[in-house]
Amino acid sequence: SPLLTPDLVLILLAIACGAIGTVMWRRNSKARRLGWSSLLGILLCLATVSGGLVTAAGGAALAASSTALPDVTALPDSDSATACFRATSAVRIPSVKKGLCNQRMRMVQDIVIAHLFGGAVILPETVFSREGCNFKAECYGQYTGMIPFADVYDVESTSRALAAVGVCTMSEGAAATRFVHPLPASKLSLPASVSELQDFAETYQKIFLGRVWSVADSTVCCTLVVPDSELAVRLLRQVAAAFIPAPRIVSLATQVLERFYTRAHEEAATPVAIHWRGQSDMAASSHALNITAYTNEAARMLAPLKPLCLLILGGASASELAEIHARLRPAFGHRDHALRLYSKETLMPGIKWSRHFGGYDDLVGMVDLEIARKVWTFIGSPFSSFSVIAATMRALPCSPASECVDTRMVPVDVSDQLGRIFALQFPYTDDTLRDRCKALTRLHDWHKPGEWSCPTQPRASHRLRPGIARRGLQADAQSPSARTRH
């Protein structure tokens, strides 16, 4: 009730706590005195009441500011408390001038490394985006826009999800208070495999003890750590999926999906979403995508699904959909209505998407990414960080089987083999590979001093430290995995 002010609520609940103490005293009929157990019960009750009111006030303050990152160590959550109690240092994650999905790759890897060394993480307060580019080649790399992190992600929910896999998130202020010795530069030689980092974890944990440090500076993206064991892959997937979108992004994605499924039902067609990357920027850039080969392979994958309702992710106007339709149509024969194309722009024409998100292209794309995470069948482009992040999140075990999703990739890569690199660095299939590090060294010029020192085989003795989502790892061992196909 509005009449119950916090002070009055505290008084009433204190009386209730007193009643609890009275009951406990009466039960202790032999002693006839207020024992330690009853006193502890009263104190815990009062502490809970007080903490609840403080948390409510903090939540109101957070809602009032879209840029403030909360001190998650204060959240009344056992996972957060446990993860933060164990933290021996804090890793500051910088903003890097890349697309939001590439930035997410960097954040995920920073968090994995921090976790291996017993560190908490300080999430960035701002991230970068292109402004008004719309996939044009001339502005492909112009990340000039700065967006509050909280406009992209639900900070509190993300922090709780990270805590569930054993990762503590801290504000700058909380980290500066607890860890008073900043480290000017990282001592790590990266990239490295998880097994390699584990070999030196104890040494580095001592080096970083009580310090605020960074894995690498803001110019580095996006290969830092290579998951070379089943547990390491699971950790990476869980961290990638822990980034929860901001509420308005989730709301819009849900509305788009509902309208899309309605259209597919009305047309008795198969609903599929594809992250279409046949735009000119991928062909004109150093990636040199063969657009004809890409279109042909996509059409070959889609044709058996007719009649098909295809949701184009990545942004497409009605005229752009017509162009894509003309390129795909030959694979569908001459049947009317064998292929229908939609996008969030045509399903919700009343929204001026760019203007709605302040002209930030990458922020608009987060709606598409949330759709890619949720849709029943998703076809991605393996050389795109967007598709790889979506497929990585979708690769988590699912139960019951009815909730499993179908994930596929168009079997085409770009000239610099980004697709192969991403598949090794962010594995979204359950394919086993003897040595991911060795495979990556053949594909990528690491500019790493000395020899690449990954072990040729991950040692069975390597175990990720406690808190690495053990609850999920063992419980999900018998669960069917999300199906991912090439």
Side-chain angles (χ1 to χ4, degrees):
S1 167
L3 298 176
L4 293 177
T5 64
D7 289 342
L8 181 55
V9 170
L10 183 58
I11 292 169
L12 292 173
L13 290 175
I15 293 171
C17 289
I20 293 172
T22 302
V23 170
M24 294 172 71
W25 178 78
R26 285 176 178 172
R27 285 181 177 174
N28 191 7
S29 57
K30 291 183 180 180
R32 290 297 180 188
R33 64 180 182 273
L34 187 64
W36 283 109
S37 61
S38 56
L39 177 59
L40 181 61
I42 295 172
L43 291 174
L44 287 174
C45 183
L46 287 172
T48 303
V49 171
S50 175
L53 292 176
V54 170
T55 302
L62 177 62
S65 170
S66 65
T67 60
L69 296 181
D71 179 6
V72 180
T73 57
L75 294 175
D77 184 283
S78 59
D79 288 333
S80 298
T82 301
C84 291
F85 177 79
R86 288 177 175 154
T88 57
S89 66
V91 174
R92 181 184 292 110
I93 302 177
S95 301
V96 295
K97 287 193 173 184
K98 292 283 186 179
L100 284 175
C101 288
N102 276 296
Q103 291 178 74
R104 181 139 153 196
M105 284 182 163
R106 167 67 196 268
M107 289 190 285
V108 167
Q109 292 174 94
D110 279 15
I111 291 169
V112 168
I113 293 171
H115 185 79
L116 293 174
F117 295 153
V121 296
I122 305 169
L123 298 171
E125 294 206 354
T126 57
V127 288
F128 287 96
S129 172
R130 287 165 288 201
E131 296 181 88
C133 178
N134 195 30
F135 296 106
K136 294 191 289 287
E138 59 268 22
C139 55
Y140 178 70
Q142 294 177 5
Y143 297 100
T144 55
M146 296 188 69
I147 314 168
F149 185 91
D151 285 358
V152 185
Y153 301 107
D154 183 326
V155 180
E156 198 165 311
S157 296
T158 296
S159 297
R160 291 187 189 280
L162 287 171
V165 295
V167 177
C168 168
T169 55
M170 287 186 174
S171 65
E172 278 281 1
T177 300
R178 180 168 169 184
F179 307 115
V180 295
H181 304 292
L183 193 64
S186 173
K187 305 293 184 182
L188 295 174
S189 179
L190 297 170
S193 71
V194 168
S195 294
E196 184 181 10
L197 293 175
Q198 283 181 278
D199 284 339
F200 298 98
E202 187 175 345
T203 299
Y204 277 112
Q205 192 163 353
K206 290 176 181 177
I207 293 173
F208 298 136
L209 182 65
R211 295 179 179 272
V212 175
W213 55 287
S214 293
V215 169
D217 64 32
S218 61
T219 64
V220 177
C221 191
C222 295
T223 301
L224 298 175
V225 65
V226 183
D228 60 342
S229 69
E230 184 180 343
L231 283 176
V233 170
R234 179 67 62 83
L235 171 63
L236 184 138
R237 289 175 179 175
Q238 289 174 317
V239 171
F243 284 80
I244 311 301
R248 70 167 172 166
I249 291 173
V250 174
S251 174
L252 287 168
T254 301
Q255 293 177 60
V256 171
L257 266 179
E258 287 175 350
R259 295 190 183 198
F260 176 59
Y261 286 145
T262 299
R263 295 291 178 88
H265 178 73
E266 291 171 349
E267 296 167 15
T270 304
V272 175
I274 184 171
H275 179 220
W276 185 262
R277 284 306 276 123
Q279 294 94 338
S280 62
D281 63 319
M282 292 303 293
S285 70
S286 59
H287 303 308
L289 172 68
N290 184 329
I291 293 180
T292 301
Y294 175 82
T295 303
N296 290 342
E297 287 297 332
R300 183 185 61 79
M301 292 182 71
L302 294 168
L305 303 175
K306 60 187 177 185
L308 176 65
C309 259
L310 188 62
L311 179 59
I312 302 294
L313 301 179
S317 63
S319 60
E320 289 168 329
L321 287 182
E323 180 185 341
I324 296 170
H325 188 278
R327 289 160 61 181
L328 294 175
R329 179 61 193 272
F332 286 80
H334 300 289
R335 286 185 54 191
D336 291 336
H337 312 306
L339 174 65
R340 292 292 182 92
L341 268 57
Y342 298 96
S343 65
K344 65 181 186 299
E345 288 77 9
T346 59
L347 287 168
M348 298 182 69
I351 294 180
K352 304 299 180 185
W353 289 92
S354 181
R355 188 185 308 167
H356 187 78
F357 286 98
Y360 296 118
D361 293 356
D362 293 80
L363 188 54
V364 176
M366 290 297 99
V367 177
D368 296 89
L369 184 62
E370 177 65 2
I371 294 170
R373 185 180 72 84
K374 289 181 173 179
V375 71
W376 296 332
T377 301
F378 170 70
I379 297 176
S381 300
F383 48 82
S384 163
S385 57
F386 175 106
S387 290
V388 171
I389 286 291
T392 302
M393 291 190 292
R394 293 166 65 90
L396 286 173
C398 51
S399 182
S402 60
E403 295 183 6
C404 290
V405 291
D406 185 6
T407 306
R408 314 180 189 188
M409 289 286 189
V410 179
V412 171
D413 206 350
V414 288
S415 63
D416 48 7
Q417 303 184 88
L418 272 182
R420 292 179 65 189
I421 292 171
F422 281 153
L424 292 166
Q425 182 191 351
F426 274 75
Y428 46 81
T429 72
D430 293 329
D431 297 339
T432 57
L433 188 66
R434 181 186 177 110
D435 191 348
R436 291 183 182 277
C437 294
K438 188 174 181 180
L440 274 166
T441 3
R442 292 171 178 162
L443 294 169
H444 197 50
D445 179 10
W446 298 104
H447 302 293
K448 179 180 178 179
E451 265 186 42
W452 179 257
S453 54
C454 288
T456 54
Q457 289 187 7
R459 284 167 284 242
S461 61
H462 277 124
R463 293 290 181 269
L464 301 179
R465 67 185 183 83
I468 228 181
R470 291 284 176 188
R471 293 177 289 280
L473 283 176
Q474 294 176 358
D476 292 336
Q478 304 302 319
S479 301
S481 294
R483 299 182 302 280
T484 309
R485 306 174 188 168
H486 282 284

